[in-house]
Amino acid sequence: MTPFLRSVAALAAFVVASVFGVGAVLAQAPCANRGLLDVRYCDENGDLVADLPKDPKAWQNPATLVFSYTPVEDPAVYENVFVDFLEHLSKVTGKRVRWFPAESYAAQVEALRSGRLHIAGVATGPTPYAVNLAGFEPIVSMQRPGGGIGYTLQLITFKDSPIKTVADLKGKRVAHVAPSSNSGDIAPRALFGAMGVVPGKDYEVLYSGKHDNSVMGVVNKDYDAAPVASTVVERMQARGMFKPDALRIVYESAPFPRTAFGVAHNLAPELKAKILEAFLTFDFKKSKLATEFKDTERFAKISYKDAWRDVLLIQKASGITYTQEGLSKLSNKAE
């Protein structure tokens, strides 16, 4: 390259960095495979997750780790539930740990993308957004005694409802959770549509914002029915939030993977290893988590590529793309 061309290239790099930030320049580094990932990430090993940056200078090793759990229900409920684990995480890593109360799926993904959030439990549907837009690296999930990590989509209605089948949803008012929710929106759109019932066309879709809002809305007959995650229904019933016979299950899907717990892709390898160690050595059964997640035995390692295969297929069939525009829709929440 001639001195003139080198000076032009340097000027161009300076302009891009000035306008878009240094990250925009780094994002254009050679990458053999990116897949669905944002341009700032690379996936050369083909595991569908962002690779660790090749330059050690880009690795993060913060003095304080920030942790967040998916806003599937009120974040305040879970801050106390996770206190035992956060203490264990601090002990194993030698770091201070702070709780981040994510109020929406989008807020959680944006916090990961900006580097303000280091460890998170991300709900099933938003996980691919976090992976592709924010460099989220799923590492574990909660495991049941039998070894499963799944939950189901349950279409619920109130006890004396006339709804007996999915076809009976036609003409009704049905609560969906949010556009990013797997069991609360994406999966029912795909699965119900395949049964001849098109959400938004054959019945009115009302976004509740959260699974617990959908459940209680059906209990109180504010909605005729709602597709929700089975695990949320189970936990709410165990807390005595409604009588066992208040709801009736109209339809139940095959299992989907549960919340993915993971880390920012650019954390230093030794720190990632310590975080994984904290998950795998945590005594789940003797913690506050066990009182909330009664069907869970421990945290177990997962492969995002394998565990999210069906979810990714449903999202692809639904026309979902992992873009900033799609991310903005994750904020949709009913008031």
Side-chain angles (χ1 to χ4, degrees), residues 21-37:
V22 176
V25 178
L26 296 177
Q28 304 306 317
C31 178
N33 178 63
R34 184 165 284 119
L36 299 176
L37 299 178

Side-chain angles (χ1 to χ4, degrees), residues 181-198:
S181 174
N182 180 64
S183 59
D185 189 65
I186 300 168
R189 286 184 182 276
L191 298 174
F192 295 175
M195 298 178 204
V197 178
V198 180

Side-chain angles (χ1 to χ4, degrees), residues 201-275:
K201 178 182 177 182
D202 292 321
Y203 65 75
E204 182 182 2
V205 172
L206 301 166
Y207 285 117
S208 71
K210 296 180 181 179
H211 287 264
D212 55 334
N213 291 347
S214 290
V215 173
M216 294 312 297
V218 173
V219 170
N220 295 322
K221 300 185 179 181
D222 296 326
Y223 309 119
D224 295 311
V228 292
S230 60
T231 47
V232 177
V233 176
E234 292 163 5
R235 290 198 299 270
M236 292 178 70
Q237 182 175 323
R239 290 203 299 268
M241 296 184 69
F242 58 87
K243 294 180 179 179
D245 63 349
L247 297 176
R248 181 162 45 79
I249 299 173
V250 177
Y251 164 84
E252 188 164 22
S253 73
F256 294 110
R258 301 169 77 178
T259 295
F261 291 84
V263 297
H265 80 293
N266 60 346
L267 293 186
E270 61 272 19
L271 177 55
K272 285 186 183 180
K274 283 293 184 181
I275 293 170

Side-chain angles (χ1 to χ4, degrees), residues 58 68 81 95 98 113 135 184 200 228 264 278 300-301:
S68 173
V81 169
K95 306 278 189 180
R98 183 166 61 84
R113 183 176 171 88
V228 292
K301 288 183 67 173

Side-chain angles (χ1 to χ4, degrees), residues 143-188:
Q143 187 179 81
R144 299 172 187 269
I149 63 168
Y151 72 98
T152 61
L153 177 168
Q154 289 183 346
L155 174 62
I156 59 171
T157 189
F158 45 89
K159 181 176 63 174
D160 54 350
S161 166
I163 298 173
K164 306 296 183 183
T165 67
V166 172
D168 294 334
L169 293 178
K170 293 182 178 181
K172 300 298 191 295
R173 301 171 73 256
V174 181
H176 282 213
V177 175
S180 64
S181 174
N182 180 64
S183 59
D185 189 65
I186 300 168

